[in-house]
Amino acid sequence: YREGLIYKDKRLVNWDPQLETAISDLEVEQRETAGSLWYFKYPVEGEEGRTLTVATTRPETMLGDTAVAVHPEDDRYADLIGKHCILPLVGRRIVIVADEYADPEQGSGAVKITPAHDFNDFEVGRRHGLEMINIFDTRACINDAAPEAYRGLDRFEARDRVVAEMQALGLLERVEEHDHTVPYGDRGGVPVEPYLTDQWFADAKTLAAPAIKAVEDGRTRFFPENWTKTYFEWMRNIQPWCISRQLWWGHQIPAWYGPDGEVFVELSEEDAVAAAAAHYGKKTALTRDEDVLDTWFSSGLWPFSTLGWPEETPELARYYPTDVLVTGFDIIFFWVARMMMMGLHFMDEVPFHTVYVHALVRDEQGQKMSKSKGNVIDPLELIDAYGADALRFTLSSLAAPGRDVRLAESRVESSRNFATKLWNAARFCQLNGCVPDADFDPAAVQATVNRWVVSETARCGREVTQKIEGLRFNEASQLLYQFIYGTFCGWYLESAKPLLDGNDPAIGAETRATAGWALDQVLLMLHPFMPFVTEELWQSLAADRASDLVRAAWPVHPDGLLDEEAEREMSWVVRLVSGIRSVQAEMNIPHAARVPVVLIGLGDEAAAWFERQRSLIMWLARLGDASVGEAVPPGSVQMVHDEATVALPIADVIDIDQEMQRLNKEKAKRVAEIDKSKKKLSNQGFLAKAPAAVVETQRERMAEEERAVVKLEEALARLASIG
RNA sequence: GGGCGCGUAGCUCAGCGGGAGAGCACCGCCUUCACACGGCGGGGGUCACAGGUUCAAUCCCUGUCGCGCCCACCA
């Protein structure tokens, strides 16, 4: 106030006649409404029989008309400018003015002017020094400024009465159907009225300037970035902000009035009394302004007022500015913009460096959920059915930046299943003594599967960290889902089973410790996404934790934990096992058959891998035996695995036709790939302009496919010789 | 009237310049000693349409069609 940023003014404000208070522009909601456009004839003074036609969507406001405006260059009305009409029903003499606001294309080209009840008319009224007649009371009923017959009528009753009377007088020219937008109060739920009252205003334009600059300079950034544009758009066109409300709750405005209306704005009543005494030269009784501040004005102070400001508290020093503000786009104007303005003004520093604008959860039809529409999905019901972790995980995995989400219950169910999966995996670990060991060093493990899971865990951890830091929460949760479900549960725990009770106690112990470590890493990483189940498991897996999981440090995975050798070896095993399983399923070979597998033509490296992982492969693919051979045994189902041929000899059980069909299908697929590659590699433009690495990849790919096709042809030939 | 965004597998959605992915649903097999809220395997997509840029387009540009949202004083 003392800086001139807050002032009292008599202006048109948006008035909610239901709540009987002023509201801000932002609290007004435009609703598409099917209405009418009434054409009224206003008799011209002194010209018998001549009338001027005006069109209006709000007949009742004519009771407050103080002019008619026409465009200065509108020839139809040029001779009327400066003359007067006699306002029907009221009898007031109103002037005909020339003003560019009147649009010759609209309605009749002449427009009635009601300065006290329309924002445009208010401006016209100011330009022409027109009288401003307020015809409504605070409930939007007609007041004593109108003819007696209308007093006390509700605005809609008054509308009907005006139309009926005009018609009776023969002054209603015609009525057109007219769709237009009507302003409604978003809380009161009834049409708002432009209303002339004394209110407090904030000079938003001045406050906005530094807030605009801060975002231009990148001191505060929006994520996703496109909201920056929305912010600028609003801030650069900002209007004076009406900050007083005629409500019972909120910060009461610290303004006191003397008997003559003099205003004393002070921090306390004592100060106001003192100021008044000084002003009047004697002690004078004051009355305090009854209005309170707009809730968003108070909320705009939140980043520092909650921390003890204006005292320089340790909290203020520590938490102002904060770093990331998380909010919905619908709050950017209401709150984010105001916090920026207030923060920069009072603290001279932005309140936060990043605004993360999250998605809005919509209902199944894609509608924004709202209490008034009654389409709110109650999170408590979903939590009852699937758990809080499941809901939280679902929302985080659907939170793709810049996109709203339609909440599909099936995703919540899937998340619940995921939580159950984790729970069971942890139970398995516990039952097998796979618990955290304080002395465990993940960099020192020996067995390939253990080295591999350490490496994969570290890789996952680094990627998840990166995604979280980049605010890509959906990608982080997806990585975790895949790692935990696929890598950890699907491959690692299955591979660990034979080692836990195997004949090498040292490997068994190492595996137990590795699994315990990996599970801990999983809990640490998943905790932000599923806080409850991870915390429960964290505490139940070990009694002597240094801290609760919620307070545990975020895991760091150094380069040293990455092990490309182990990853390559296990990737080979995984692909081999998947291939064998696929063939088994397709050829209807039951696991119970425990068929053997023979690998032919292994390279040196693969031969070493096979040697080491032979029993693991047998275990994972449920095989009776696995061996290296020189030739494909007769009666084998065959598949290509890199440079090798893999044979499952099932002798007399084999269905030659079915097998040939399967191999031919596989071959056709690969031949199609080769054709595509050939086409690319014969394209001179591609060879000349594509990066060398891309060309090389293409060559390798083709070579690999060609090798596979050769193998497949050999396999087909062998079958043909049997058949 | 301005601005933003979306149309990818039946459904809900990721991906956004170098051979299309997930969850659910669907089909087949499996009561294998953590888990049937499970396991293994599989089918399914001219990435809305039309042009353009590029050696290369689901991805970039332009336009069209459809859908949604925000802002705005049209009587």
Side-chain angles (χ1 to χ4, degrees), chain A residues 557-570:
Chain A
H557 299 107
D559 288 350
L561 295 182
L562 299 178
D563 186 335
E564 281 184 40
E565 258 180 55
E567 284 184 13
R568 286 183 60 228
E569 183 166 335
M570 279 302 290

Side-chain angles (χ1 to χ4, degrees), chain A residues 267-524:
Chain A
L267 285 172
S268 67
E269 185 157 358
E270 292 70 41
D271 293 352
V273 167
H279 176 77
Y280 294 112
K282 60 176 182 187
K283 198 161 186 229
T284 308
L286 301 174
T287 50
R288 184 169 180 178
D289 196 315
E290 291 191 352
D291 289 357
V292 299
L293 289 166
D294 176 12
T295 187
W296 296 109
F297 184 97
S298 302
S299 302
L301 306 170
W302 184 90
F304 46 93
S305 70
T306 52
L307 301 172
W309 177 88
E311 310 303 323
E312 289 181 12
T313 63
E315 290 80 8
L316 190 60
R318 170 67 181 83
Y319 294 109
Y320 193 98
T322 185
D323 49 10
V324 180
L325 175 81
V326 179
T327 193
F329 76 83
D330 49 344
I331 301 299
I332 291 175
F333 304 142
F334 279 125
W335 195 30
V336 178
R338 270 74 181 265
M339 285 193 282
M340 290 291 288
M341 293 193 267
M342 300 292 201
L344 281 159
H345 186 75
F346 290 108
M347 300 297 294
D348 206 26
E349 200 175 355
V350 293
F352 26 72
H353 61 67
T354 300
V355 178
Y356 177 86
V357 180
H358 66 236
L360 230 55
V361 178
R362 299 179 178 279
D363 71 3
E364 282 152 35
Q365 279 76 44
Q367 301 280 314
K368 181 175 169 180
M369 289 195 277
S370 80
K371 279 179 259 181
S372 51
K373 263 186 273 183
N375 62 342
V376 175
I377 299 170
D378 185 349
L380 294 179
E381 285 173 19
L382 286 171
I383 289 169
D384 281 344
Y386 302 104
D389 281 339
L391 182 59
R392 184 181 174 95
F393 187 81
T394 304
L395 291 175
S396 61
S397 54
L398 289 174
R403 230 188 121 138
D404 288 346
V405 302
R406 257 188 255 196
L407 192 53
E409 196 167 324
S410 67
R411 291 289 293 256
V412 186
E413 191 179 351
S414 153
S415 300
R416 186 273 315 268
N417 295 351
F418 177 49
T420 307
K421 183 80 178 172
L422 175 69
W423 179 266
N424 284 313
R427 197 164 61 121
F428 170 81
C429 288
Q430 208 162 19
L431 288 171
N432 287 282
C434 305
V435 290
D437 174 353
D439 299 328
F440 177 72
D441 176 8
V445 293
Q446 300 294 313
T448 308
V449 280
N450 290 334
R451 282 165 52 208
W452 169 76
V453 81
V454 166
S455 184
E456 292 286 356
T457 304
R459 201 171 285 286
C460 174
R462 294 153 70 101
E463 285 173 6
V464 167
T465 301
Q466 195 189 346
K467 294 301 185 188
I468 292 177
E469 282 171 352
L471 305 174
R472 305 274 171 174
F473 304 124
N474 61 318
E475 293 178 29
S477 73
Q478 196 181 335
L479 281 169
L480 284 165
Y481 183 92
Q482 281 165 356
F483 173 73
I484 294 168
Y485 227 113
T487 305
F488 184 69
C489 295
W491 289 102
Y492 179 66
L493 290 185
E494 289 307 315
S495 302
K497 281 175 185 173
L499 302 181
L500 292 171
D501 303 312
N503 37 29
D504 187 333
I507 295 279
E510 178 186 285
T511 302
R512 263 182 278 279
T514 307
W517 174 84
L519 180 58
D520 261 12
Q521 301 307 302
V522 161
L523 297 178
L524 285 161

